[in-house]
Amino acid sequence: MFNYENQVVVITGASSGLGSQMAEGFAKQGADLVLLARRVEKLEKLAAELSKLGVKVLPIGCDVTKVPDIEKAAKEVEEKFGKVDVLVNCAGSAKNAGVLDMTDEEWDFTIKTDMDSVFYVTRAFGNIMKKHNYGRIINIASMYGMVGNMAMGTIAYHTSKGGVVNFTRAAASELAKYNITVNAICPGYFDTELTHETLITDAFTAYMKATVPMGRYGYSGELNAGAIFLGSKEASYVTGVILPIDGGYTCC
């Protein structure tokens, strides 16, 4: 089970953090990869490392908030590989502030980066999948898309990730007739480039230990099993699922 040989997996936000971790996970299962992000030099370095696993890796510079970038990338992928089997929408960032203090610029940046981009990328690569009557789309949302929090103000992030959760359900309903499944993973607290400065503080660590039943942050690679399952051929009857991988945060 879960053999990805001769399958093409596209991952956005692949230059660091959860995106690069999932890229390694899929590569170890034999998948050929397309790595999308703005920081091309990081993509190229990762591509060189993953190529040692005997898979094809295509790094493409792409700003997922810009439709022309996405359409250009989709065209390049289709010309090189002829198909896309799995799409992982992982790119994201956020400006953090509470509902009473957040500026218009902070709101717009977060919504465009974390929610609008998922629509743009899904539309472009979903149309390639439609041609082949097959596809697996995995949206990386957040446990904050399912609940609120008392640790910090980050209203736009909650909103965008909540949007991704229900976008997933709607897209799953629409695309099932093309044999395309659409599911979401809602990660909990993982130490990445974007979250490190927040997570290492004593105050946030204490909050985490009080609210996460497993009492720790997620380890590198602990998202991979969920992504590999949802992207697999074997998960053919799984669609519209919202899968928290959060150490139990959302069960309390």
Side-chain angles (χ1 to χ4, degrees), residues 97-102 155:
V99 64
L100 302 181
D101 302 311
M102 176 161 278
I155 188 68

Side-chain angles (χ1 to χ4, degrees), residues 33-82:
L33 298 171
V34 178
L35 309 177
L36 303 182
R38 290 176 297 177
R39 295 178 295 181
V40 179
E41 68 285 352
K42 283 184 170 288
L43 290 182
E44 291 175 343
K45 182 178 180 180
L46 178 61
E49 288 297 314
L50 297 181
S51 295
K52 296 176 183 177
L53 296 173
V55 299
K56 300 173 184 175
V57 186
L58 175 64
I60 301 177
C62 179
D63 183 338
V64 294
T65 67
K66 297 179 179 178
V67 172
D69 273 22
I70 297 164
E71 291 178 345
K72 181 180 178 182
K75 182 178 180 181
E76 184 175 348
V77 172
E78 189 170 22
E79 288 175 349
K80 181 173 179 61
F81 291 106

